[in-house]
C-alpha cells in the first residue's frame, strides 16, 4: 500500500507493540484483510489477550 491512512499506520503500531510485548508474532494470521485498521487492531488485541493469559 503506497499511502496508508494514519488510522492504518496507528493500527500497525499497536500490532507491533503487542507482538514486541508478548514476544509473539502472528505470522500466517496476517492472511486477513490487513488493509482494514479494525482487523489489525483485533489481531493486536488477540495477541495482548493471549499474552496476559500466559503470564
Amino acid at each position: 500500500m503506497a499511502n496508508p491512512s494514519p488510522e492504518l499506520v496507528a493500527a500497525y503500531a499497536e500490532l507491533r507493540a503487542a507482538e514486541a510485548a508478548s514476544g509473539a508474532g502472528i505470522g500466517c494470521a496476517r492472511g486477513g484483510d490487513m488493509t482494514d485498521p479494525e482487523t489489525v487492531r483485533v489481531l493486536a488485541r488477540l495477541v495482548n489477550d493471549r499474552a496476559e493469559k500466559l503470564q
Side-chain angles (χ1 to χ4, degrees), residues 14-51:
E14 289 176 34
L15 179 57
R16 284 190 298 276
E19 289 176 323
S22 69
I26 61 170
C28 66
R30 290 185 181 207
D33 181 4
M34 299 303 286
T35 63
D36 176 30
E38 189 55 36
T39 299
V40 177
R41 285 193 176 98
V42 166
L43 289 171
R45 282 191 296 270
L46 288 171
V47 171
N48 278 329
D49 289 350
R50 184 67 180 154

